[in-house]
Amino acid sequence: MHSAHTPFWVRYLLLLLALAWVGLWILLPVSTVVYGAFANGWGSYLSALADPESVHAFYLTLIAALWSVAINLVFGLAAAWAIAKYQFRGKTLLLSLIDLPFSVSPVIAGLVFVLLFGGQTLAGTWLAAQHIQILYALPAIVIATVFVTFPFVAREVLPVMEAMGTEEEEAALTLGASGWQTFWLITLPGIKWGLLYGVILCTARAFGEFGAVAVVSGRIAMETNTLSLHVEKLYQEYQSQAAFAVASALLVIALLTLVAKSAVEWRLRRALTEIKHAPESV
Amino acid sequence: MTITIESITKRFNGYVAVDRVSLTIPDGKLVALLGPSGSGKTTLLRVIAGLEVPDEGAVSMNGVDVTHTPARLRNIGFVFQHYALFKHMTVFDNIAFPLKVRKRSVEEQRALVNDLLKLVRLEGFGQRYPSQLSGGQRQRVALARALAAKPKVMLLDEPFGALDAKVRQELRQWLRRLHQEMSITSLFVTHDQEEALELADRIVVMNHGRVEQEGTPEDLFEHPKTPFVMSFLGDVNIFHGRVEQGQTVIHHDPAAVAPSVTETKAVRAYARPHELDIDRTPRDERSLPAKVRHVNTAGATVKVELLLRDGHTTVQAYLGRERYQELKLQPGEEVYVVPRQLRIFVDEDDEAPTA
């Protein structure tokens, strides 16, 4: 009803502005990546992707992402559970701490871990004595990625859990279910869309992480070079076509995530409205 | 199963929800926990279920202390006000849940669920989801699910509170029949005195976390021990008065209100509307002059609203139709209100309920 009173030229102007914006900031860079990737034809595109260093980078990124998502799944769920179901002192503090990675520069986060596990510290010396390699190896990459992606699962699960309440779980307990059965049969199905949404966001961020990983990984080719780092390395070595080709692989992953995200987002919104607007009596 | 509650206290952040309550729920009886909101009745029910741990006191079932037994091992069926059905499961899976977690065979599950669906008159609804049912149907599914665990005790928290009047009435009668057939010890929470009077074998009236009175519906209705019970169980008329030389005097004359005599005690006299008669002449010293304000003849009894001569006390009297025909009362007429029965409570504090 409001739009009916808006002059048509205002509407068109706004639409044009939005389109121009999307074109300038999204379509133009994306097409540049695609154009750059295929600048020397299909053959060199495929050989850039099939290059052992690229394959290793892809493999390493995948492993790091899987670990980070798995770890954040457990801890994010635990954090959301504690906040949604229990009353305790420092609840708001815990919430702000969970959000911290959003406001800390990833490079700083990476640096913190370098300082924490470096040779000069107590932790670093002890780990070195045990011959446990954290820095400049997979563990550091996973730790940095976990830090950067920590808020996603907790933040997405929390509202669903709060909306769900505790009644269904209490009902399950009175019907003879154990705590474990209640979790698998009642809690998890109730929060699955929120959880999946958090996992998708977490995965996307884990694949794309650059700053924190750049600091802690040491960027050793065939060892600790992730996909994002590899793109930069190729670019620095003036292999721009190869850099764009690898970047296009990240682009495909991003697009797949976007599709999955939209699908899950739709289900999640439906699940939330079902919880909130369950008719009382008919 | 007999449930014994000994001196249960439950606090929430310093607020005392249940205050040293002791109670026995006799085997096979249908008992109502009746009280206004905040009286602690739901908390007490949850303590019995094992959903809350009491701060003090003990709960035992058939003489066995279950105070620290987890809810799932108490052999109870709990029915929630908002049904608490599992939204992602079909009606069938909801009812089969207690059997599923006990790892019973699929055939056994199917047989029992079908029996229960028949019992709650929902045959053919097995494959629906809770969101596809009406409120009354959902509550019947919740009852069937609770019964599937073959509980020794049924605990119902405002089971019909979220339903509209007609469905509530139907479900009440149905629950009453069900209880007669199965005679499972049952305890239900309600704030609706009509529901308690109609359904329960025994009523426990709660107020401010304590038991105000306990007994059969007739007991409570006819012999309320406190003004709270008197006014919570039905409509009442309250007359202010005082005791003088062992006699109750009701003030209908504003001049008499002044407490001139020190040894007199202020009292309140309670009478239910059906315990009042109306006459054109005073019958005894208790007859109160009043003016007819309004007459409502729709219904089984004729409801007469009167204003006492003090000018501000409104009185409701319910007359039988025959008595009304005899009197042929007209609004504006000067008459006398004649209490057939009065219950006198000494004014101690404002104990009158708000509900």
Side-chain angles (χ1 to χ4, degrees):
Chain A
M1 48 176 180
H2 197 86
S3 59
H5 299 291
T6 324
F8 78 97
W9 60 269
V10 174
R11 273 183 279 161
Y12 281 106
L13 195 68
L14 284 172
L15 190 63
L16 208 66
L17 206 65
L19 285 177
W21 205 252
V22 169
L24 197 62
W25 295 105
I26 295 174
L27 292 181
L28 197 64
V30 165
S31 49
T32 310
V33 169
V34 177
Y35 180 78
F38 289 98
N40 300 338
W42 269 97
S44 52
Y45 175 75
L46 289 177
S47 67
L49 286 183
D51 179 74
E53 277 195 33
S54 305
V55 173
H56 184 271
F58 179 77
Y59 171 74
L60 178 70
T61 309
L62 191 68
I63 297 293
L66 283 178
W67 271 108
S68 320
V69 169
I71 292 169
N72 274 335
L73 191 65
V74 174
F75 288 104
L77 206 53
W81 193 294
I83 292 167
K85 317 244 168 187
Y86 304 117
Q87 293 299 325
F88 55 89
R89 247 177 237 267
K91 199 168 178 170
T92 353
L93 184 70
L94 180 62
L95 263 173
S96 335
L97 285 178
I98 287 172
D99 283 343
L100 190 70
F102 278 152
S103 47
V104 171
S105 152
V107 178
I108 303 296
L111 211 58
V112 167
F113 288 114
V114 169
L115 290 174
L116 183 64
F117 296 117
Q120 313 85 332
T121 65
L122 217 61
T125 355
W126 184 84
L127 285 167
Q130 312 297 314
H131 302 288
I132 298 171
Q133 177 83 26
I134 300 268
L135 281 181
Y136 317 121
L138 181 65
I141 297 174
V142 172
I143 289 170
T145 313
V146 165
F147 179 84
V148 173
T149 56
F150 185 70
F152 292 111
V153 173
R155 268 291 169 190
E156 293 308 322
V157 170
L158 190 58
V160 195
M161 234 177 208
E162 277 175 342
M164 195 181 160
T166 50
E167 254 195 7
E168 285 185 45
E169 288 158 11
E170 284 182 345
L173 292 176
T174 63
L175 292 167
S178 65
W180 201 238
Q181 284 172 321
T182 304
F183 175 76
W184 285 106
L185 298 172
I186 307 301
T187 314
L188 207 54
I191 59 166
K192 66 179 173 204
W193 294 114
L195 195 63
L196 199 56
Y197 190 63
V199 163
I200 288 169
L201 293 180
C202 186
T203 313
R205 187 79 168 85
F207 266 100
E209 179 48 31
F210 182 87
V213 173
V215 177
V216 299
S217 72
R219 318 173 76 161
I220 309 158
M222 298 300 287
E223 271 185 44
T224 62
N225 221 17
T226 63
L227 264 188
S228 315
L229 299 181
H230 189 52
V231 171
E232 204 228 359
K233 180 176 175 262
L234 289 170
Y235 189 74
Q236 298 290 350
E237 292 168 357
Y238 301 105
Q239 302 185 48
S240 58
Q241 188 265 331
F244 280 129
V246 176
S248 77
L250 279 169
L251 192 66
V252 169
I253 293 170
L255 285 174
L256 287 178
T257 319
L258 190 70
V259 172
K261 180 175 154 285
S262 316
V264 171
E265 203 171 17
W266 181 73
R267 294 297 307 251
L268 175 64
R269 208 172 300 144
R270 213 177 59 169
L272 270 174
T273 43
E274 254 174 41
I275 294 171
K276 281 181 188 149
H277 304 291
E280 286 299 290
S281 62
V282 183
Chain B
M1 188 169 323
T2 306
I3 306 169
T4 316
I5 295 155
E6 283 167 83
S7 197
I8 288 284
T9 297
K10 177 69 189 175
R11 299 182 200 91
F12 294 108
N13 297 325
Y15 171 76
V16 184
V18 176
D19 189 6
R20 288 161 292 165
V21 167
S22 295
L23 199 62
T24 303
I25 314 293
D27 182 43
K29 290 277 189 277
L30 182 54
V31 178
L33 276 177
L34 175 68
S37 57
S39 60
K41 53 196 194 306
T42 293
T43 306
L44 186 61
L45 193 78
R46 290 172 60 87
V47 165
I48 297 170
L51 293 172
E52 303 283 355
V53 181
D55 294 310
E56 286 152 41
V59 180
S60 51
M61 294 182 177
N62 273 354
V64 181
D65 188 329
V66 295
T67 315
H68 297 285
T69 308
R72 68 189 176 96
L73 301 176
R74 288 198 187 189
N75 222 338
I76 50 139
F78 199 99
V79 175
F80 294 80
Q81 181 177 3
H82 297 291
Y83 331 122
L85 294 181
F86 306 133
K87 295 178 195 69
H88 62 284
M89 291 185 199
T90 60
V91 167
F92 185 97
D93 290 336
N94 262 282
I95 301 175
F97 186 83
L99 300 171
K100 198 178 167 194
V101 298
R102 287 174 177 81
K103 312 243 185 293
R104 296 291 160 74
S105 71
V106 178
E107 296 80 56
E108 196 182 333
Q109 290 183 27
R110 191 171 304 141
L112 186 76
V113 172
N114 286 333
D115 282 354
L116 285 167
L117 280 174
K118 207 171 289 170
L119 182 76
V120 297
R121 297 180 321 226
L122 284 173
E123 296 120 306
F125 284 79
Q127 293 316 308
R128 299 239 193 146
Y129 281 89
S131 59
Q132 298 167 311
L133 301 179
S134 72
Q137 290 169 333
R138 285 182 212 183
Q139 197 55 298
R140 297 214 299 272
V141 174
L143 278 160
R145 185 179 67 177
L147 289 170
K150 299 233 157 66
K152 293 280 190 317
V153 179
M154 280 292 270
L155 303 169
L156 307 102
D157 183 12
E158 301 255 3
F160 314 127
L163 303 168
D164 59 49
K166 193 167 170 291
V167 180
R168 190 156 58 210
Q169 189 59 32
E170 279 171 26
L171 268 183
R172 267 186 214 164
Q173 288 163 1
W174 179 81
L175 183 72
R176 177 80 249 188
R177 276 202 306 277
L178 190 74
H179 182 262
Q180 275 164 359
E181 279 167 33
M182 306 187 123
S183 67
I184 303 174
T185 309
S186 305
L187 187 58
F188 72 98
V189 160
T190 181
H191 62 260
D192 180 347
Q193 92 283 354
E194 230 177 87
E195 190 165 290
L197 290 169
E198 189 182 317
L199 270 180
D201 298 317
R202 297 183 74 79
I203 299 176
V204 178
V205 180
M206 288 191 70
N207 189 26
H208 298 309
R210 313 205 58 168
V211 173
E212 196 89 8
Q213 192 177 349
E214 187 221 347
T216 63
E218 299 73 41
D219 232 16
L220 266 64
F221 197 77
E222 296 301 329
H223 310 289
K225 280 187 190 146
T226 65
F228 177 84
V229 175
M230 174 87 197
S231 30
F232 202 75
L233 280 182
D235 297 329
V236 283
N237 293 298
I238 303 171
F239 304 99
H240 293 267
R242 60 204 149 84
V243 176
E244 275 170 13
Q245 294 147 2
Q247 285 282 321
T248 306
V249 180
I250 292 167
H251 306 169
H252 47 82
D253 187 352
V257 176
S260 49
V261 191
T262 45
E263 59 269 23
T264 61
K265 250 183 175 169
V267 295
R268 272 186 278 183
Y270 289 68
R272 299 204 186 279
H274 68 266
E275 294 166 340
L276 298 177
D277 198 4
I278 296 173
D279 220 332
R280 292 231 157 73
T281 50
R283 239 182 259 167
D284 50 28
E285 66 276 11
R286 276 182 172 179
S287 304
L288 305 166
K291 185 188 266 182
V292 177
R293 247 193 187 171
H294 184 76
V295 181
N296 178 2
T297 54
T301 57
V302 176
K303 294 174 179 160
V304 185
E305 191 186 297
L306 306 104
L307 184 70
L308 292 193
R309 193 170 283 172
D310 67 7
H312 55 80
T313 308
T314 309
V315 172
Q316 292 280 347
Y318 299 165
L319 298 182
R321 298 204 78 90
E322 285 171 19
R323 178 73 185 140
Y324 172 70
Q325 294 295 340
E326 256 172 67
L327 288 167
K328 294 203 166 50
L329 293 171
Q330 294 300 321
E333 225 181 310
E334 298 281 347
V335 291
Y336 288 87
V337 173
V338 186
R340 276 190 294 260
Q341 189 176 11
L342 276 174
R343 290 176 193 79
I344 313 294
F345 296 105
V346 176
D347 258 3
E348 281 179 17
D349 210 302
D350 230 11
E351 268 297 306
T354 43

